[in-house]
Amino acid sequence: MKSQLKDKFLTFAVTIPLILCCILLAPISIASASPSSTIYQQRVIHSPDGIGKFYMNREIAKVMGHTGASWLERPSREAEEQPSKIVSALNLKPDDVVADIGAGTGYMSFRIARVLTKGKVLAVDIQPEMLDIIKFLKKEKNITNVQPVLATLTNPNLPAESVDLALMVDAYHEFEYPREIIEGIIRGLKPGGRIVLVEYRGENPFILIKALHKMTQKQVRKEMQAVGLVWRETKNLLPQQHLIIFEKPSV
Protein backbone atom coordinates (compact mmCIF):
# COMPACT_ATOMS: atom_id res chain seq x y z
CA MET A 1 0.00 0.00 0.00
CA LYS A 2 2.79 2.45 0.93
CA SER A 3 4.61 1.54 -2.27
CA GLN A 4 1.50 2.30 -4.36
CA LEU A 5 0.99 5.63 -2.64
CA LYS A 6 4.65 6.51 -3.20
CA ASP A 7 4.37 5.68 -6.92
CA LYS A 8 1.23 7.80 -7.26
CA PHE A 9 2.92 10.70 -5.49
CA LEU A 10 5.98 10.51 -7.74
CA THR A 11 3.77 10.39 -10.84
CA PHE A 12 1.84 13.44 -9.59
CA ALA A 13 5.06 15.30 -8.74
CA VAL A 14 6.46 14.75 -12.23
CA THR A 15 3.25 15.38 -14.18
CA ILE A 16 2.22 18.70 -12.65
CA PRO A 17 5.49 20.59 -13.51
CA LEU A 18 5.29 19.23 -17.07
CA ILE A 19 1.73 20.48 -17.46
CA LEU A 20 2.65 23.91 -16.07
CA CYS A 21 5.65 24.11 -18.39
CA CYS A 22 3.51 23.33 -21.43
CA ILE A 23 0.96 25.97 -20.43
CA LEU A 24 3.63 28.65 -20.02
CA LEU A 25 5.46 27.89 -23.26
CA ALA A 26 2.51 27.24 -25.54
CA PRO A 27 1.23 30.09 -27.74
CA ILE A 28 -2.11 31.47 -26.60
CA SER A 29 -4.61 33.07 -28.96
CA ILE A 30 -5.30 36.73 -28.22
CA ALA A 31 -9.07 36.32 -28.31
CA SER A 32 -11.13 33.52 -29.76
CA ALA A 33 -13.76 35.97 -31.01
CA SER A 34 -11.23 38.19 -32.77
CA PRO A 35 -10.54 37.78 -36.51
CA SER A 36 -6.85 38.26 -35.62
CA SER A 37 -6.79 35.19 -33.36
CA THR A 38 -5.49 32.94 -36.12
CA ILE A 39 -2.85 35.48 -37.17
CA TYR A 40 -1.25 36.41 -33.85
CA GLN A 41 -0.16 34.51 -30.77
CA GLN A 42 0.35 35.79 -27.25
CA ARG A 43 3.09 34.13 -25.18
CA VAL A 44 3.68 34.41 -21.46
CA ILE A 45 7.44 33.98 -21.77
CA HIS A 46 8.92 36.61 -24.07
CA SER A 47 11.61 39.26 -24.46
CA PRO A 48 11.48 42.27 -22.10
CA ASP A 49 11.86 44.42 -25.23
CA GLY A 50 8.70 43.00 -26.80
CA ILE A 51 4.96 42.99 -26.12
CA GLY A 52 4.64 39.20 -25.95
CA LYS A 53 2.67 39.16 -29.21
CA PHE A 54 4.03 37.14 -32.10
CA TYR A 55 3.37 37.45 -35.84
CA MET A 56 4.77 34.78 -38.16
CA ASN A 57 7.10 33.69 -35.32
CA ARG A 58 8.44 37.24 -34.83
CA GLU A 59 7.88 39.00 -31.54
CA ILE A 60 6.60 42.55 -31.97
CA ALA A 61 8.82 45.18 -30.33
CA LYS A 62 7.67 47.80 -27.87
CA VAL A 63 6.89 51.18 -29.41
CA MET A 64 9.35 54.00 -28.92
CA GLY A 65 7.09 56.71 -27.53
CA HIS A 66 7.09 60.44 -28.19
CA THR A 67 9.40 60.90 -25.20
CA GLY A 68 12.15 59.48 -27.44
CA ALA A 69 11.61 62.13 -30.12
CA SER A 70 14.99 63.73 -29.51
CA TRP A 71 16.71 60.47 -30.51
CA LEU A 72 15.03 60.66 -33.92
CA GLU A 73 16.30 64.21 -34.40
CA ARG A 74 19.81 63.60 -33.03
CA PRO A 75 22.55 65.52 -34.92
CA SER A 76 24.61 62.35 -35.41
CA ARG A 77 21.88 60.52 -37.33
CA GLU A 78 23.10 61.46 -40.81
CA ALA A 79 26.63 60.25 -40.05
CA GLU A 80 25.40 57.04 -38.41
CA GLU A 81 22.60 56.02 -40.82
CA GLN A 82 22.98 58.24 -43.90
CA PRO A 83 19.20 58.76 -44.30
CA SER A 84 19.79 61.20 -47.17
CA LYS A 85 20.65 58.12 -49.24
CA ILE A 86 17.15 56.80 -48.60
CA VAL A 87 15.58 59.81 -50.29
CA SER A 88 17.82 59.39 -53.34
CA ALA A 89 17.17 55.64 -53.52
CA LEU A 90 13.38 56.09 -53.71
CA ASN A 91 13.56 57.56 -57.24
CA LEU A 92 10.66 59.89 -56.57
CA LYS A 93 8.85 61.98 -59.16
CA PRO A 94 8.01 65.62 -58.37
CA ASP A 95 4.25 64.94 -58.30
CA ASP A 96 4.33 61.75 -56.20
CA VAL A 97 2.23 61.27 -53.08
CA VAL A 98 4.31 59.56 -50.39
CA ALA A 99 3.00 58.11 -47.12
CA ASP A 100 5.60 58.15 -44.34
CA ILE A 101 4.16 55.47 -42.05
CA GLY A 102 5.31 55.77 -38.44
CA ALA A 103 6.60 59.23 -39.28
CA GLY A 104 7.52 60.13 -35.71
CA THR A 105 8.89 63.69 -35.71
CA GLY A 106 8.71 63.86 -39.51
CA TYR A 107 12.47 63.45 -39.88
CA MET A 108 12.07 61.66 -43.22
CA SER A 109 8.85 63.44 -44.20
CA PHE A 110 10.48 66.87 -44.40
CA ARG A 111 13.45 65.57 -46.36
CA ILE A 112 11.17 63.86 -48.86
CA ALA A 113 8.88 66.90 -49.13
CA ARG A 114 11.68 68.99 -50.62
CA VAL A 115 11.83 66.61 -53.61
CA LEU A 116 8.08 66.64 -54.19
CA THR A 117 7.69 70.06 -55.75
CA LYS A 118 4.20 69.17 -57.04
CA GLY A 119 3.39 66.30 -54.68
CA LYS A 120 3.02 65.83 -50.95
CA VAL A 121 3.90 63.68 -47.95
CA LEU A 122 1.28 62.12 -45.69
CA ALA A 123 3.05 61.93 -42.32
CA VAL A 124 1.22 59.08 -40.58
CA ASP A 125 1.55 58.24 -36.89
CA ILE A 126 -0.60 56.81 -34.08
CA GLN A 127 0.73 59.25 -31.48
CA PRO A 128 -0.94 62.69 -31.44
CA GLU A 129 2.14 64.05 -29.64
CA MET A 130 4.32 63.14 -32.62
CA LEU A 131 1.89 64.84 -34.99
CA ASP A 132 2.01 67.97 -32.80
CA ILE A 133 5.80 67.98 -33.27
CA ILE A 134 5.34 67.65 -37.04
CA LYS A 135 2.89 70.56 -37.08
CA PHE A 136 5.35 72.69 -35.11
CA LEU A 137 8.29 71.82 -37.38
CA LYS A 138 6.16 72.34 -40.46
CA LYS A 139 5.76 76.00 -39.47
CA GLU A 140 9.38 76.31 -38.37
CA LYS A 141 10.68 74.95 -41.67
CA ASN A 142 8.00 76.69 -43.75
CA ILE A 143 7.17 73.46 -45.58
CA THR A 144 3.59 73.28 -46.80
CA ASN A 145 3.38 69.90 -48.50
CA VAL A 146 3.56 67.70 -45.37
CA GLN A 147 0.15 66.61 -44.13
CA PRO A 148 -0.07 64.99 -40.65
CA VAL A 149 -2.40 61.97 -40.51
CA LEU A 150 -3.54 60.31 -37.28
CA ALA A 151 -3.64 56.54 -37.68
CA THR A 152 -5.03 53.83 -35.40
CA LEU A 153 -3.37 50.59 -34.34
CA THR A 154 -5.10 48.80 -37.21
CA ASN A 155 -5.62 51.47 -39.88
CA PRO A 156 -3.18 53.96 -41.46
CA ASN A 157 -6.17 56.05 -42.61
CA LEU A 158 -4.99 56.53 -46.19
CA PRO A 159 -7.45 57.49 -48.93
CA ALA A 160 -8.07 54.59 -51.31
CA GLU A 161 -5.59 54.27 -54.21
CA SER A 162 -4.10 57.70 -53.55
CA VAL A 163 -0.46 56.93 -52.69
CA ASP A 164 2.46 56.27 -55.03
CA LEU A 165 4.88 55.08 -52.35
CA ALA A 166 4.62 54.12 -48.67
CA LEU A 167 7.81 54.33 -46.62
CA MET A 168 8.48 52.79 -43.20
CA VAL A 169 11.83 53.65 -41.60
CA ASP A 170 12.64 51.64 -38.45
CA ALA A 171 8.92 51.45 -37.70
CA TYR A 172 7.31 48.29 -39.04
CA HIS A 173 8.77 45.99 -36.35
CA GLU A 174 6.80 47.97 -33.72
CA PHE A 175 3.37 47.73 -35.35
CA GLU A 176 1.00 45.97 -32.94
CA TYR A 177 -1.18 44.85 -35.87
CA PRO A 178 1.26 44.54 -38.77
CA ARG A 179 -1.06 42.54 -41.03
CA GLU A 180 -3.90 45.05 -40.73
CA ILE A 181 -1.64 48.07 -41.20
CA ILE A 182 0.00 46.65 -44.33
CA GLU A 183 -3.40 45.69 -45.75
CA GLY A 184 -4.53 49.28 -45.10
CA ILE A 185 -1.45 50.61 -46.85
CA ILE A 186 -2.12 48.33 -49.83
CA ARG A 187 -5.65 49.73 -50.08
CA GLY A 188 -4.17 53.22 -50.08
CA LEU A 189 -1.62 52.46 -52.79
CA LYS A 190 -2.26 53.07 -56.45
CA PRO A 191 -1.95 49.97 -58.66
CA GLY A 192 1.76 49.40 -59.13
CA GLY A 193 2.53 51.53 -56.07
CA ARG A 194 5.54 50.71 -53.92
CA ILE A 195 6.12 49.87 -50.27
CA VAL A 196 9.63 50.46 -48.94
CA LEU A 197 10.84 49.17 -45.59
CA VAL A 198 14.06 50.33 -43.96
CA GLU A 199 15.06 48.08 -41.07
CA TYR A 200 18.28 47.49 -39.15
CA ARG A 201 19.86 44.30 -40.50
CA GLY A 202 18.88 41.43 -38.22
CA GLU A 203 21.46 39.18 -39.84
CA ASN A 204 24.29 41.25 -38.36
CA PRO A 205 24.92 40.72 -34.61
CA PHE A 206 27.46 43.57 -34.59
CA ILE A 207 24.82 46.23 -35.27
CA LEU A 208 24.26 47.53 -31.74
CA ILE A 209 20.47 47.71 -31.82
CA LYS A 210 18.21 45.54 -29.65
CA ALA A 211 17.33 42.29 -31.43
CA LEU A 212 13.57 42.98 -31.66
CA HIS A 213 14.30 46.33 -33.31
CA LYS A 214 16.13 44.60 -36.17
CA MET A 215 14.71 42.41 -38.96
CA THR A 216 16.26 40.00 -41.41
CA GLN A 217 15.50 40.40 -45.09
CA LYS A 218 14.08 36.86 -45.07
CA GLN A 219 11.53 37.75 -42.37
CA VAL A 220 10.52 41.00 -44.06
CA ARG A 221 9.98 39.27 -47.39
CA LYS A 222 7.96 36.49 -45.76
CA GLU A 223 5.62 38.96 -44.06
CA MET A 224 5.13 41.17 -47.12
CA GLN A 225 4.59 38.28 -49.52
CA ALA A 226 1.95 36.88 -47.14
CA VAL A 227 -0.29 39.85 -48.07
CA GLY A 228 0.36 39.62 -51.81
CA LEU A 229 3.13 42.17 -52.25
CA VAL A 230 5.82 41.44 -54.84
CA TRP A 231 9.47 41.84 -53.84
CA ARG A 232 11.36 43.97 -56.34
CA GLU A 233 14.74 44.81 -54.86
CA THR A 234 16.86 44.97 -51.71
CA LYS A 235 19.41 47.77 -51.53
CA ASN A 236 22.19 47.51 -48.99
CA LEU A 237 23.52 51.00 -49.56
CA LEU A 238 23.08 52.06 -45.93
CA PRO A 239 25.68 51.34 -43.24
CA GLN A 240 23.31 49.51 -40.87
CA GLN A 241 19.94 48.99 -42.55
CA HIS A 242 18.28 47.07 -45.35
CA LEU A 243 16.20 49.07 -47.83
CA ILE A 244 13.66 46.58 -49.20
CA ILE A 245 11.27 47.47 -52.01
CA PHE A 246 7.93 45.78 -52.72
CA GLU A 247 5.21 46.51 -55.25
CA LYS A 248 1.43 46.28 -55.24
CA PRO A 249 0.37 44.19 -58.26
CA SER A 250 -1.37 46.22 -60.96
CA VAL A 251 -4.23 43.70 -61.22
Side-chain angles (χ1 to χ4, degrees), residues 79-82 85 201 204 207 236-241:
E80 294 167 357
E81 299 178 2
Q82 300 175 15
K85 287 186 177 180
R201 296 197 288 274
N204 189 342
I207 293 174
N236 288 318
L237 49 82
L238 303 171
Q240 301 184 73
Q241 298 145 301

Side-chain angles (χ1 to χ4, degrees), residues 77-96:
R77 185 169 177 179
E78 180 60 41
E80 294 167 357
E81 299 178 2
Q82 300 175 15
S84 56
K85 287 186 177 180
I86 297 174
V87 181
S88 300
L90 298 178
N91 296 319
L92 296 169
K93 298 190 291 292
D95 60 348
D96 276 344

Side-chain angles (χ1 to χ4, degrees), residues 8-203:
K8 287 181 179 179
F9 176 78
L10 287 172
T11 301
F12 179 81
V14 171
T15 303
I16 292 301
L18 286 173
I19 292 171
L20 289 172
C21 186
C22 290
I23 291 171
L24 288 172
L25 293 176
I28 303 171
S29 295
I30 292 173
S32 57
S34 168
S36 298
S37 61
T38 58
I39 300 173
Y40 305 109
Q41 291 81 40
Q42 194 75 33
R43 299 179 189 174
V44 176
I45 298 175
H46 63 88
S47 167
D49 299 318
I51 63 173
K53 183 178 178 179
F54 288 73
Y55 175 58
M56 301 188 78
N57 291 320
R58 172 184 63 86
E59 185 175 1
I60 296 167
K62 290 179 180 177
V63 173
M64 188 189 77
H66 64 276
T67 54
S70 59
W71 188 80
L72 297 175
E73 295 289 333
R74 65 193 186 281
S76 62
R77 185 169 177 179
E78 180 60 41
E80 294 167 357
E81 299 178 2
Q82 300 175 15
S84 56
K85 287 186 177 180
I86 297 174
V87 181
S88 300
L90 298 178
N91 296 319
L92 296 169
K93 298 190 291 292
D95 60 348
D96 276 344
V97 176
V98 175
D100 182 9
I101 310 294
T105 59
Y107 185 90
M108 292 303 304
S109 297
F110 291 115
R111 284 158 176 77
I112 292 169
R114 297 188 188 106
V115 179
L116 307 179
T117 53
K118 298 179 182 178
K120 64 179 177 180
V121 179
L122 303 177
V124 181
D125 208 282
I126 63 169
Q127 299 181 71
E129 297 89 350
M130 288 296 199
L131 297 184
D132 287 341
I133 292 172
I134 290 174
K135 290 172 187 174
F136 170 78
L137 292 175
K138 183 178 174 179
K139 290 181 180 178
E140 284 280 302
K141 297 174 184 291
N142 193 28
I143 295 177
T144 59
N145 60 339
V146 172
Q147 178 183 330
V149 176
L150 181 63
T152 70
L153 290 174
T154 58
N155 191 343
N157 285 330
L158 299 175
E161 298 192 353
S162 63
V163 173
D164 295 286
L165 182 143
L167 174 67
M168 287 160 275
V169 177
D170 303 328
Y172 174 74
H173 62 269
E174 296 181 355
F175 294 169
E176 189 171 340
Y177 291 88
R179 175 71 68 96
E180 289 84 349
I181 289 295
I182 294 299
E183 288 175 341
I185 293 171
I186 292 171
R187 289 192 297 271
L189 281 176
K190 298 173 183 177
R194 294 175 293 156
I195 286 182
V196 178
L197 287 94
V198 177
E199 290 282 352
Y200 287 101
R201 296 197 288 274
E203 299 89 342

